[in-house]
Amino acid sequence: MDFANLPMDLKEIKLFNVGILIVATLVVAKILSSLFMSGSKKNLPPVVKAWPLLGGLARFMKGPIIMLREEYPKLGSVFTVNLVNKKITFFIGPEVSSHFFKAPETDLSQQEVYQFNVPTFGPGVVFDVDYSVRQEQFRFFTESLRVTKLKGYVEQMVSEAEDYFSKWGESGEVDLKYELEHLIILTASRCLLGQEVRDQLFDDVSALFHDLDAGMLPISVIFPYLPIPAHRRRDHARKKLAQIFARIIASRKQTGKCENDMLQCFIDSKYKDGRPTTELEVTGLLIAALFAGQHTSSITSVWTGAYLLKNKQFLSGVVDEQKNLMKKHGGKIDHDILSEMDTLHRCIKEALRLHPPLIMLLRSSHTDFDVTTKEGKEYHIPKGHIVATSPAFANRLPHIYKNPDSYDPDRFGPDREEDKAAGAFSYISFGGGRHGCLGEPFAYLQIKAIWSHLLRNFEFELVSPFPEIDWNAMVVGVKGNVMVRYKRRKLVPGDDL
């Protein structure tokens, strides 16, 4: 038909009819597709109900843990939430988490979902390089955290704790959160960043790291390069840190000075092809190491103390352990003695179960795969989904942990071992599998070194109310002050306290 020769009103009618025909054809095709293909279509996970486009995002931004608490009882251990143009599929519980933790990088990748770290860590390291280079850089971390290295780090941790708490009076009242945060950054600076930073540049470097930290906002996950004041401070701090470490690295190389710290390990590291690390790479790796360890250790130290002071039976248990170790080893504390502190270890581990600083772990799916729930339901996870799990939620599942919201370090004892009853990924405060936290041994030693000193030299009383969780930070920590009253005393084996 020749539209050009029709009257104007007839043209409009014809065009309208053609439009209706096209729309109707598409609708029919969609219906037929769903009718004839539904039988062969693989079973996708249930989807969280929300308004189209922004509904899922609104629920997610209210708090992912709130959403998980609401949806897990209804949808089960595998479900999807639509966030604008992204689909996040959650795996909750050890029965469905095996693929998440064991899959190779070619199947489930960290790189895409953690790109927001690149402006902070800097170019050429961790999530700004391909997987093969990242694996070599992780090898540098592993070598810097070998037992022979850790033994030297423990000496520095103990020394820092003794020096810091020597400045306290015979009695007083302090904010435990403030005190432990400052001590952790001191010990981390000495063990990781080097003696030069600890002795000469601590205040400058600490302030710069504060600016870096302030640039890690929830909005940074989506818009890491947004030109806001916090990001500008972050970028300025990153540049200044690079200059500071460049001077330290050059000085060490020129003088031949060699220290027992992570900085030295990174300076001495070489890639498989023989190439040495660059100054920018060393700086980036150090920033990544400090970010991975500083917040998590300080947060866990505070929660450990708060729970011990609230639960006197467990406080008595760790004090008795210290008395027994002092009877055996005297006042000495080293790597091997810290490793004997099983009771204190369980108390720290339980604080971490209840309050893992990283509440979500993410991967990007590069391939289709299937997952089967503990009830036997099989779901198909398409390529392109973001796959997530939540330590904060999974660590409190009632079918794994008895009275999951209560503080009970004995649940990890040899007669119970609740963290192993449901499989390898029942406890995921440090992640697990291919991407388990390399710094886990360092963290436990650091917290034990601090609390063993405190338990041996002070009595404490929690003055403020038991702390609440600060959900507003990227790394979920302790809200407000944690005020404690202390009294200096010397623990003696055989004493009844």
Side-chain angles (χ1 to χ4, degrees):
M1 181 176 291
D2 186 2
F3 282 98
N5 295 323
L6 289 172
M8 185 59 67
D9 55 344
L10 289 179
K11 287 183 183 179
E12 292 174 353
I13 292 171
K14 286 291 184 180
L15 286 171
F16 177 76
N17 289 339
V18 169
I20 290 292
L21 181 61
I22 292 172
V23 171
T25 302
L26 291 173
V27 170
V28 171
K30 183 71 174 179
I31 294 172
L32 291 174
S33 174
S34 62
L35 287 173
F36 290 106
M37 296 183 65
S38 59
S40 61
K41 187 177 181 180
K42 293 191 175 181
N43 190 28
L44 297 176
V47 178
V48 172
K49 291 182 180 179
W51 291 102
L53 295 180
L54 298 179
L57 180 62
R59 290 198 62 189
F60 190 82
M61 294 302 288
K62 278 174 55 180
I65 301 302
I66 295 173
M67 184 193 69
L68 292 176
R69 286 173 183 161
E70 293 172 349
E71 299 302 332
Y72 176 80
K74 296 185 291 186
L75 303 181
S77 56
V78 179
F79 56 87
T80 299
V81 57
N82 294 323
L83 300 184
V84 191
N85 65 330
K86 297 289 185 182
K87 296 180 185 295
I88 299 184
T89 296
F90 282 91
F91 290 178
I92 304 298
E95 300 85 2
V96 294
S97 296
S98 179
H99 188 79
F100 180 93
F101 289 111
K102 290 184 176 181
E105 186 76 6
T106 52
D107 292 353
L108 288 182
S109 171
Q110 288 182 310
Q111 187 158 3
E112 295 89 345
V113 292
Y114 291 121
Q115 279 294 300
F116 63 90
N117 287 301
V118 172
T120 301
F121 298 166
V125 295
V126 193
F127 301 113
D128 191 51
V129 294
D130 64 42
Y131 182 63
S132 61
V133 177
R134 187 157 72 251
Q135 282 297 93
E136 291 204 60
Q137 292 176 350
F138 285 168
R139 174 171 56 83
F140 302 158
F141 281 108
T142 301
E143 290 172 353
S144 70
L145 294 170
R146 293 187 185 280
V147 172
T148 52
K149 295 288 184 183
L150 289 175
K151 288 185 175 182
Y153 297 159
V154 167
E155 293 177 8
Q156 297 163 6
M157 295 171 186
V158 172
S159 175
E160 290 291 345
E162 290 174 349
D163 180 66
Y164 190 87
F165 295 119
S166 69
K167 298 177 177 63
W168 282 13
E170 288 300 310
S171 62
E173 195 171 297
V174 295
D175 178 4
L176 191 65
K177 176 183 170 182
Y178 174 90
E179 300 294 330
L180 293 181
E181 283 177 352
H182 278 70
L183 177 54
I184 290 289
I185 189 65
L186 282 167
T187 56
S189 293
R190 178 62 189 91
C191 298
L192 307 182
L193 307 182
Q195 187 76 46
E196 299 93 334
V197 170
R198 171 62 183 87
D199 292 345
Q200 303 167 28
L201 299 164
F202 175 76
D203 290 337
D204 293 340
V205 170
S206 181
L208 291 171
F209 269 106
H210 182 271
D211 283 346
L212 272 181
D213 191 29
M216 292 285 279
L217 305 169
I219 195 172
S220 305
V221 176
I222 306 172
F223 304 110
Y225 297 99
L226 196 66
I228 58 177
H231 287 171
R232 285 194 287 269
R233 292 199 306 274
R234 174 199 66 194
D235 297 340
H236 173 75
R238 179 64 180 71
K239 183 178 179 180
K240 295 292 291 184
L241 282 169
Q243 294 170 354
I244 289 172
F245 283 109
R247 292 197 300 269
I248 296 174
I249 293 167
S251 175
R252 286 195 184 185
K253 288 181 177 179
Q254 185 178 1
T255 61
K257 183 180 180 181
C258 186
E259 292 282 346
N260 179 38
D261 50 41
M262 188 173 280
L263 168 60
Q264 191 67 48
C265 291
F266 290 159
I267 292 172
D268 297 337
S269 293
K270 287 183 171 58
Y271 292 90
K272 289 180 180 178
D273 61 4
R275 179 178 72 82
T277 51
T278 66
E279 292 173 356
L280 279 176
E281 288 173 336
V282 170
T283 299
L285 293 172
L286 284 171
I287 292 172
L290 197 66
F291 261 83
Q294 175 202 344
H295 292 299
T296 52
S297 291
S298 62
I299 290 167
T300 305
S301 296
V302 177
W303 282 122
T304 298
Y307 276 109
L308 286 175
L309 298 184
K310 182 183 179 183
N311 297 271
K312 298 299 183 182
Q313 73 274 29
F314 296 119
L315 178 61
S316 297
V318 292
V319 170
D320 287 342
E321 180 178 63
Q322 293 300 318
K323 289 192 288 187
N324 292 333
L325 289 170
M326 291 176 73
K327 186 176 181 179
K328 182 179 178 181
H329 300 290
K332 182 181 179 183
I333 296 179
D334 61 18
H335 174 275
D336 295 338
I337 295 171
L338 291 179
S339 299
E340 293 183 46
M341 298 180 186
D342 294 331
T343 304
L344 181 56
H345 186 96
R346 289 195 291 270
C347 289
I348 298 168
K349 184 173 182 177
E350 177 70 340
L352 262 171
R353 180 187 71 83
L354 291 168
H355 303 286
L358 298 178
I359 63 170
M360 286 212 318
L361 306 175
L362 305 171
R363 305 283 187 268
S364 177
S365 177
H366 289 184
T367 59
D368 295 359
F369 65 95
D370 297 324
V371 62
T372 303
T373 70
K374 65 184 178 69
E375 294 82 14
K377 293 182 180 180
E378 185 172 295
Y379 294 114
H380 181 71
I381 314 301
K383 174 183 177 180
H385 275 218
I386 294 173
V387 183
T389 191
S390 171
F393 190 80
N395 280 353
R396 296 190 185 218
L397 290 173
H399 73 277
I400 298 175
Y401 295 104
K402 182 180 178 182
N403 299 321
D405 295 328
S406 66
Y407 181 77
D408 182 8
D410 290 342
R411 69 174 78 249
F412 301 120
D415 57 333
R416 290 171 64 179
E417 294 187 322
E418 293 180 14
D419 57 318
K420 299 178 182 177
F425 304 112
S426 300
Y427 181 91
I428 55 172
S429 293
F430 285 99
R434 290 175 176 270
H435 300 295
C437 178
L438 299 173
E440 180 178 354
F442 182 93
Y444 273 116
L445 290 170
Q446 189 177 29
I447 299 169
K448 285 181 182 179
I450 292 170
W451 270 105
S452 59
H453 180 87
L454 289 173
L455 293 166
R456 293 181 181 198
N457 292 278
F458 298 93
E459 295 176 359
F460 291 101
E461 177 188 356
L462 185 62
V463 177
S464 60
F466 190 80
E468 298 179 0
I469 304 171
D470 183 4
W471 294 108
N472 295 321
M474 285 278 289
V475 180
V476 173
V478 183
K479 187 176 183 179
N481 300 331
V482 184
M483 302 305 297
V484 299
R485 188 174 294 123
Y486 71 85
K487 181 180 179 181
R488 191 178 291 275
R489 61 111 166 96
K490 197 72 174 177
L491 187 64
V492 177
D495 280 357
D496 293 325
L497 299 178

